[in-house]
Amino acid sequence: MHRRFALQWATAAIAALSIGSGAAQAETLKIWSFGEQDNYTEAMVKEFQAKNPDLTIEVRRVAFSDVNDEALRAIRSGTGPDIMPIDNPNVAFFAAKKALLELDDMVKQSKVINADKIFPGPRLNSSWKGKLVGIPRGANTIALYINDDMFREAGLDPDKPPRTWAELHDAAAKLNNPAKNIYGFAFSARGNEEGTFQFLPYIQSTGADWDKLNSPGAIRAVEFWQKLLDEKLASRDTLNRGQSDSTATFVNGNAAMVVSGPWEIPGIDKNAKFKWRVALLPGEKADSPRTSALGEQSYVIPKTAANPKAAFRFLEYVISQQGRNWNDFGILPATSDAVSKDPKWPQAYQAFAEQMKYARPRGPNPEWPQISKAISGAMQQVLTHQSDAKTAMAAAAAQVQRVSKN
C-alpha cells in the first residue's frame, strides 16, 4: 500500500492520491487542526501515521476563530472531518446540536482509554448530558510568569510574587519603565474567547462568575483591569493582543510579568535571556478564593464522520501518549495516570499543577459562544471607556440570561 500524509493549508482541498491502476484505495482519515501552529496535533498525526502506514491521513488547518462556523457548515453538508479539536467550552455547543458521536460504548471496549482516569474538569467539558462526546488531549490553565531579573532590579523579591490585586498593581508600577519600553504587566483583553479566558479568574476571585456579571465583584474586576490600562502599567495593545502576543512581549523583555499558559514554556525556555518563574494568579484579596480558567482542546468525532473507527484509534493513541504532554509540549496531562514524575521546568510544573486545582470549566453551556461574546464585549467597552463598568456589566448579565434560557 502507498502511504500519504498531506497537510492542507487554509481551505484548499487535497488532491487524491494516485495509486496504480487496479490498486485498492487506502483507508482515509480526515483530521482538522487549528490554523495557528498546532505542534501537538501535527506531532500526533505524524507518529500515528508511521504506526499505520496503510492509512491515508489528510490534515486541514482551520483558523481557531473560524472553527465553530466552519465545522457546522461542514458537518451539515456531510463534508466534515473524521476528527477535529474543539476548544473545550464549545463541546457543549456542538453536542447540543446533536453533531457529535457519543463515545461511551467505544471507551468501555477500549483497552487504552479509561474514562474514570480523566480528571473531573476536562471530563466535564468533554461531556454533554452525562455522555462522553470528546476526549481531552490534555489540560491547561493560566498563571503568572515573572521576570526574576527585573524583579530584583526593581527591589522586589521574586520568591514573594504578588498574591493580591493590590500587590500586583504595586509591583507593576515599580517594574514599569517607559524609558526602556518596559511595561509592568501584560495580559490579553482581546474581544474574543482569549479575553474571556483571561478575565474569568478575576471575576471568580470576587465570588462572582459568568452568570453573575452584574455583581459588585464582577464590576470591581473589570475596573481593576481598566486601572492597569489607564495608568499605562499595561500596553494599550492589550486590547487586541492574543495570549501568545502578550507572552512575546515578556520574552522580548518588554513586560516584567505576563499571564499565560504552560503551552508557552518551550518558547520561553528557548528564547528568554533572563531567569523566569511561574506563580499562582493573584486574588482580589489575601483571603479570596484561588481561581483560574480550565483550558485545552477536546478531540471530537462528528456524527457525519466517514471513518469513526480509525478516528477512535487516533484518540487511543493520543491518550497513550499523555505521559509526554508536559515535557514535549508544555501541556498538562488530562489523565491521573500520566502525571510526570520527572518533569522539565520543575518549578513551572509545580506551579501549574497547583493552579490546575483551582481551574474552573467555562460552562458547560451550549450557548457558550454567545456568553463569551457578551463577557468580552462588556470588558472591552469598559476598558475603552465606551461605557462605565456598572452599565456594561449589567447589559452583559442581561444578555447572558437571555441566551441561557433559549
Side-chain angles (χ1 to χ4, degrees):
M1 289 284 187
H2 290 271
R3 179 183 120 187
R4 178 187 67 176
F5 169 65
L7 281 178
Q8 282 184 318
W9 297 85
T11 58
I14 294 181
L17 178 67
S18 175
I19 58 179
S21 177
Q25 176 66 48
E27 186 181 14
T28 300
L29 178 64
K30 295 180 179 180
I31 300 177
W32 280 12
S33 71
F34 287 149
E36 293 80 356
Q37 190 65 26
D38 189 352
N39 294 330
Y40 188 96
T41 296
E42 292 178 12
M44 293 295 109
V45 167
K46 288 178 181 178
E47 294 169 13
F48 185 69
Q49 173 75 93
K51 293 179 178 296
N52 296 270
D54 291 338
L55 188 64
T56 297
I57 301 181
E58 298 177 358
V59 177
R60 175 187 167 190
R61 285 185 175 182
V62 180
F64 178 85
S65 58
D66 295 336
V67 166
N68 286 357
D69 291 339
E70 286 277 335
L72 277 179
R73 280 195 293 266
I75 291 171
R76 285 169 176 167
S77 66
T79 61
D82 296 301
I83 189 167
M84 63 183 181
I86 294 293
D87 195 23
N88 65 52
N90 291 329
V91 171
F93 170 75
F94 284 92
K97 296 181 181 299
K98 304 185 186 302
L100 305 181
L101 198 66
E102 293 179 359
L103 305 177
D104 295 87
D105 289 343
M106 286 191 281
V107 168
K108 287 176 182 176
Q109 296 175 31
S110 175
K111 296 181 180 179
V112 179
I113 301 177
N114 184 340
D116 292 335
K117 292 189 176 182
I118 299 174
F119 286 121
R123 183 172 178 176
L124 177 64
N125 266 19
S126 296
S127 303
W128 179 243
K129 294 188 175 180
K131 300 290 185 178
L132 197 65
V133 292
I135 298 295
R137 72 176 199 175
N140 70 45
T141 187
I142 47 177
L144 182 69
Y145 288 86
I146 64 175
N147 182 320
D148 283 23
D149 296 348
M150 285 187 180
F151 260 62
R152 292 193 174 94
E153 288 172 9
L156 299 170
D157 185 354
D159 290 323
K160 297 179 180 179
R163 285 184 51 85
T164 66
W165 292 358
E167 290 178 6
L168 178 67
H169 173 273
D170 292 346
K174 290 179 180 177
L175 293 160
N176 221 44
N177 192 338
K180 293 185 178 180
N181 194 29
I182 297 172
Y183 287 92
F185 187 44
F187 57 102
S188 175
R190 209 172 186 178
N192 63 9
E193 184 63 38
E194 285 186 280
T196 299
F197 183 61
Q198 293 227 338
F199 184 46
L200 279 174
Y202 291 82
I203 295 177
Q204 292 163 343
S205 177
T206 70
D209 211 331
W210 61 267
D211 56 349
K212 298 175 183 176
L213 296 176
N214 57 347
S215 70
I219 293 169
R220 292 195 304 272
V222 74
E223 286 178 336
F224 176 65
W225 271 24
Q226 185 183 58
K227 181 179 180 181
L228 293 171
L229 287 176
D230 286 354
E231 294 182 8
K232 299 182 180 179
L233 302 182
S235 167
R236 294 303 294 181
D237 289 344
T238 299
L239 292 165
N240 49 42
R241 245 182 352 213
Q243 294 177 107
S244 293
D245 299 322
S246 298
T247 306
T249 66
F250 176 76
V251 172
N252 293 334
N254 298 119
M257 298 181 286
V258 68
V259 173
S260 200
W263 60 85
E264 300 285 4
I265 289 178
I268 295 174
D269 183 57
K270 179 180 178 181
N271 298 308
K273 307 301 181 185
F274 51 84
K275 290 184 179 180
W276 56 275
R277 72 180 64 197
V278 181
L280 300 185
L281 288 180
E284 182 182 24
K285 299 176 182 178
D287 59 352
S288 296
R290 289 286 191 186
T291 61
S292 194
L294 178 67
E296 251 312 311
Q297 304 163 26
S298 289
Y299 287 114
V300 299
I301 302 175
K303 273 192 173 180
T304 54
N307 199 345
K309 290 184 179 179
F312 189 76
R313 294 207 314 270
F314 177 76
L315 292 182
E316 289 183 314
Y317 182 73
V318 169
I319 287 294
S320 75
Q321 302 302 304
Q322 287 280 294
R324 298 166 48 200
N325 270 18
W326 178 263
N327 285 358
D328 288 5
F329 304 103
I331 299 174
L332 291 164
T335 59
S336 59
D337 58 347
V339 176
S340 180
K341 296 178 181 178
D342 186 24
K344 285 183 183 178
W345 319 291
Q347 188 280 326
Y349 182 80
Q350 276 190 332
F352 274 111
E354 177 69 17
Q355 189 77 83
M356 272 295 297
K357 295 178 182 178
Y358 315 110
R360 301 187 191 180
R362 290 165 281 169
N365 189 294
E367 303 303 332
W368 185 258
Q370 293 187 66
I371 292 169
S372 176
K373 186 176 181 180
I375 295 170
S376 62
M379 173 190 73
Q380 285 231 325
Q381 284 188 329
V382 176
L383 299 186
T384 56
H385 291 278
Q386 296 178 63
S387 175
D388 65 274
K390 186 175 181 180
T391 301
M393 298 306 278
Q399 186 177 352
V400 168
Q401 186 176 27
R402 282 195 302 272
V403 301
S404 296
K405 287 183 176 180
N406 292 338

